[in-house]
Amino acid sequence: MLMHSYPASCRQLVRSAINTQRSQTFKAFYATIQSLRNAPQVETDDVPPDNDFILSILRANASSRDAKPYFASFSPRPRPTPVLPQSDESISNEVRAEPSPVTEQPKVSPLIASIIDPVIRRTALVKIQGPFSQVQLDSISRGMVYLEKLGLVSVIVVENDDIQRGEQDSRSVIVEDTMRLVSCLEKHGARARPVLGAVVRLGPRPGDPEMEQDFTIPEAHTFPSDLVPIRSALQSGEIPVIPPFALDSFCRSVRIDANDVIGALARGMVEAGSQNSSFPVAALADASIDASGEVDLTPLRLMIINREGGVPSYARNGFPHLLINLDSESKHIRETFHESWRHTHKTALSNLALAKTCLSHMPPTSSAVMVSHRSQSSLIGNLITNRPAVSSSLPHALLQGNRKLTPHTPTLIRRGLPIRVVRTVDDIDRSKMNALLEQSFQRSLGEVDFYDRLKRTLDFVIIAGDYAGAAIVTNEPSADLSQPISYLDKFAVLPSHQGDGTVDFLWVALHDESYGLGHPFSANPNGGKEGQGEGRDLVWRSRANNPVNKWYFERSSGHVRMGDWVLFWCDAEKRLKQEQNRRGRAGLSYVEDWEEGRLASWSDVVQKIPSSWKK
């Protein structure tokens, strides 16, 4: 009955999609789109195997929790129930006039719309920082095609580091690189459009106030009318590929730095997207709009694909940073950037500045990723989880031996939050702390007893942003040990900030201030000890049925069950390193002398710590 209710052409399209063999699902799916748009057929040999696309998704290894940001951004939202007009009972049936016949416009059925446009489409700003060989361009193009299949449409700006501005034929070389990329994208099944006309204007935007910003202001700007070629390409299902050209005051098209073009586009596309913010509401109410090709111009990602890879880190022997909190780390990264990296990673700092500029305009949930052309498949994992390839909050020893950590591992960059450390109860904003703890744990805090205990035992509190997250560490006295136990009393993040990197930022700061203290890579400027001092074992407890325990297992040195509780601990890393160096090749024994009896002491003290919650 459902099939017969559609026109013959629609029934034929549905049958064609359903009867297609499973191994050809994605090819048939996009071939259908191309046939509807009268696009030329793509040779089968030129299309990458479907298995490669599916395996790239599986390699992301995303749990349902990890994939929530992707589903929130790309899955179709539920349509609101239409409100039917109320009939006026005061008018008799005899007097009520017959409604005049209205010719309804044909609408695309929801089933056909879901086949044509399976996900809500969003945009990404992409910098292709070449030059690249044809093989490398093939790899990059496959990555762009895969992202488009998942709903992320790229707006690409091409750059060539080997061709300096002002050189003879530099403009023609850039245009040639643009056309090469367009051809490569189309060879791999995408539709691409070269936008050779300038879409930005040289110089600051007229009327902008002259005020100091904490990011680099691009030497270009754009207006909504300048974005018409980009919007037209996106509405036609094409990937716009843009050379770094801008209009000067004499309306001449001149080559400028690609970073200025991208910075101007980030601001312009966000403003254009906010002007069209009413579109998604209308689209939800009318299925015909779902298939209209409209794309939200607000960039969800900034992607910088180059030959260098991510930003090198002094804490990882030159391997890339995994996750960067721009708000609290960008200055420290510039100060610790080795001189040798200025030759091997010439554009790392300028690209980091570009990320800070773009993310200052993009939504708070947006992120930037710097990745080598060798790791294009990692872009899919980043899109689905919006997390780094390897968590930066894992123990340093695990990161050093992790096979996923290579010179080509991507660097994920977030706007982040400021991190600060306070050491007295008087410096805590109690109302904000109470709101944080109660929202995070979904329980009512016994405020009086909680703060009375902190006045006696508080060591320090790490605060992320305006109490978006906090880690409270206390000194718990023990009769059996020479010094108090460093106890993680509370570790909390607001639900609205879970999944945006705040958890990792907070745990890294906790590591640097407690069990990681004394290592050179713990010298982060967060208002704490900045790496100076001796690290201490960190101990905490968690309910045995707490779903977060899996995350704790990965970050702790060990754990032991205590009835309804699990006791976790992290060994002081500096002491472990010293013991390892002292023993040499013999390694550490199963139980060291300084470990004997500590579990019993920890358990005895931790079990007696009173609950912070109202009963």
Side-chain angles (χ1 to χ4, degrees):
M1 293 296 292
L2 178 62
M3 291 292 293
H4 290 292
S5 63
Y6 298 121
S9 60
C10 294
R11 295 201 303 270
Q12 184 179 1
L13 178 60
V14 175
R15 290 195 186 98
S16 175
I18 293 176
N19 293 332
T20 304
Q21 295 181 3
R22 184 177 181 182
S23 62
Q24 300 294 325
T25 299
F26 284 100
K27 294 178 183 177
F29 179 82
Y30 285 94
T32 302
I33 300 176
Q34 291 172 347
S35 66
L36 292 175
R37 293 169 176 162
N38 297 320
Q41 292 294 326
V42 180
E43 293 295 331
T44 304
D45 294 339
D46 292 337
V47 180
D50 293 335
N51 288 344
D52 190 16
F53 172 54
I54 296 172
L55 287 174
S56 297
I57 297 176
L58 295 177
R59 288 191 195 103
N61 196 26
S63 65
S64 58
R65 181 187 180 93
D66 294 337
K68 279 184 178 179
Y70 173 77
F71 290 125
S73 298
F74 292 91
S75 60
R77 291 141 178 97
R79 294 180 174 84
T81 304
V83 179
L84 298 176
Q86 298 294 328
S87 60
D88 191 348
E89 298 297 338
S90 63
I91 303 177
S92 63
N93 292 332
E94 293 79 10
V95 179
R96 187 179 290 117
E98 290 292 331
S100 58
V102 178
T103 304
E104 293 186 359
Q105 296 295 328
K107 296 182 179 180
V108 179
S109 72
L111 178 60
I112 300 304
S114 66
I115 292 177
I116 296 175
D117 287 315
V119 292
I120 301 298
R121 297 199 294 165
R122 306 292 298 273
T123 56
L125 269 172
V126 182
K127 177 184 178 183
I128 305 293
Q129 185 179 338
F132 293 111
S133 67
Q134 190 59 45
V135 174
Q136 293 166 346
L137 273 184
D138 284 336
S139 175
I140 294 170
S141 298
R142 280 196 296 270
M144 298 297 99
V145 172
Y146 292 168
L147 293 175
E148 186 183 30
K149 290 182 178 182
L150 290 171
L152 192 69
V153 186
S154 302
V155 177
I156 301 175
V157 178
V158 177
E159 181 63 293
N160 189 320
D161 288 342
D162 289 352
I163 306 298
Q164 301 299 320
R165 284 178 290 170
E167 288 187 8
Q168 186 177 5
D169 298 330
S170 65
R171 183 183 179 90
S172 60
V173 171
I174 291 294
V175 171
E176 181 181 348
D177 287 346
T178 301
M179 299 307 298
R180 281 180 62 214
L181 181 57
V182 169
S183 300
C184 200
L185 287 167
E186 292 186 334
K187 183 179 76 171
H188 289 282
R191 296 187 64 193
R193 179 189 298 187
V195 182
L196 302 181
V199 294
V200 301
R201 303 166 189 251
L202 197 59
R205 177 181 290 188
D208 276 358
E210 294 185 4
M211 53 187 301
E212 188 175 348
Q213 302 284 358
D214 63 347
F215 57 86
T216 304
I217 300 176
E219 294 294 329
H221 66 279
T222 187
F223 294 112
S225 58
D226 299 326
L227 301 178
V228 169
I230 295 177
R231 190 189 297 274
S232 173
L234 295 174
Q235 289 178 342
S236 301
E238 298 171 328
I239 298 175
V241 184
I242 307 166
F245 298 154
L247 287 178
D248 65 8
S249 57
F250 297 99
C251 292
R252 296 174 302 188
S253 179
V254 296
R255 183 189 172 192
I256 64 173
D257 194 306
N259 287 6
D260 291 325
V261 176
I262 296 173
L265 286 177
R267 177 180 176 182
M269 291 172 66
V270 168
E271 292 175 349
S274 63
Q275 292 173 3
N276 296 338
S277 59
S278 60
F279 169 79
V281 177
L284 296 177
D286 188 351
S288 64
I289 303 181
D290 288 344
S292 66
E294 187 70 26
V295 179
D296 186 357
L297 279 182
T298 304
L300 189 68
R301 295 283 193 280
L302 169 67
M303 298 180 178
I304 301 171
I305 303 176
N306 55 29
R307 296 173 296 175
E308 303 169 0
V311 181
S313 168
Y314 73 96
R316 311 199 196 289
N317 298 323
F319 279 15
H321 281 272
L322 298 172
L323 178 64
I324 293 178
N325 180 347
L326 283 175
D327 199 300
S328 64
E329 296 179 33
S330 56
K331 181 180 178 181
H332 186 64
I333 290 173
R334 291 195 301 271
E335 293 174 348
T336 57
F337 200 80
H338 290 177
E339 190 63 32
S340 61
W341 296 340
R342 300 183 185 276
H343 303 285
T344 59
H345 296 74
K346 297 179 181 180
T347 61
L349 294 182
S350 62
N351 283 330
L352 187 65
L354 171 64
K356 190 168 187 177
T357 298
C358 293
L359 291 177
S360 66
H361 298 295
M362 294 161 65
T365 54
S366 299
S367 61
V369 60
M370 291 175 57
V371 60
S372 163
H373 63 87
R374 299 174 183 269
S375 303
Q376 51 83 20
S377 60
S378 64
L379 295 176
I380 291 179
N382 171 258
L383 172 63
I384 295 175
T385 66
N386 203 13
R387 295 184 179 184
V390 183
S391 176
S392 59
S393 60
L394 288 173
H396 189 72
L398 290 182
L399 290 176
Q400 291 295 93
N402 198 308
R403 294 182 179 180
K404 291 184 178 180
L405 190 60
T406 71
H408 306 291
T409 302
T411 295
L412 182 66
I413 306 170
R414 289 187 176 276
R415 186 189 306 178
L417 296 167
I419 304 292
R420 58 193 175 98
V421 179
V422 300
R423 299 192 176 276
T424 64
V425 176
D426 294 337
D427 292 329
I428 300 174
D429 187 318
R430 296 195 181 189
S431 62
K432 293 181 179 180
M433 180 64 78
N434 295 350
L436 165 62
L437 296 178
E438 291 182 350
Q439 289 184 46
S440 178
F441 289 92
Q442 295 294 305
R443 301 183 69 178
S444 297
L445 184 69
E447 182 177 354
V448 175
D449 293 340
F450 177 68
Y451 287 104
D452 283 346
R453 198 176 80 81
L454 288 187
K455 288 179 181 179
R456 299 189 305 269
T457 62
L458 180 64
D459 186 5
F460 61 87
V461 181
I462 301 175
I463 302 170
D466 190 17
Y467 289 82
I472 301 175
V473 177
T474 59
N475 287 317
E476 302 296 335
S478 172
D480 300 330
L481 301 175
S482 59
Q483 58 180 348
I485 298 172
S486 184
Y487 176 69
L488 177 60
D489 190 278
K490 293 289 182 291
F491 186 83
V493 174
L494 285 176
S496 58
H497 283 270
Q498 293 175 7
D500 68 356
T502 302
V503 172
D504 280 332
F505 296 146
L506 193 60
W507 191 270
V508 170
L510 175 64
H511 162 274
D512 295 346
E513 201 67 17
S514 57
Y515 64 96
L517 200 63
H519 272 305
F521 50 76
S522 297
N524 295 321
N526 53 21
K529 296 182 179 179
E530 299 187 3
Q532 302 298 318
E534 294 294 325
R536 298 166 57 192
D537 299 333
L538 182 69
V539 180
W540 71 98
R541 69 183 182 185
S542 175
R543 291 283 182 185
N545 58 354
N546 189 344
V548 184
N549 285 348
K550 178 181 181 296
W551 196 83
Y552 288 150
F553 289 143
E554 295 171 346
R555 282 147 186 82
S556 62
S557 301
H559 66 277
V560 64
R561 185 70 177 263
M562 303 186 308
D564 294 335
W565 296 92
V566 178
L567 176 72
F568 294 93
W569 72 90
C570 288
D571 289 312
E573 292 181 346
K574 184 177 179 180
R575 183 182 64 234
L576 289 179
K577 188 68 174 178
Q578 291 172 342
E579 287 292 327
Q580 184 179 8
N581 293 337
R582 183 176 63 83
R583 288 175 174 267
R585 293 185 178 183
L588 296 176
S589 63
Y590 186 74
V591 177
E592 296 292 322
D593 294 339
W594 44 267
E595 290 181 299
E596 292 183 2
R598 65 174 186 169
L599 281 181
S601 299
W602 288 347
S603 301
D604 181 60
V605 172
V606 169
Q607 285 181 326
K608 295 177 182 178
I609 295 176
S611 173
S612 306
W613 312 109
K614 292 180 180 178
K615 296 182 180 179

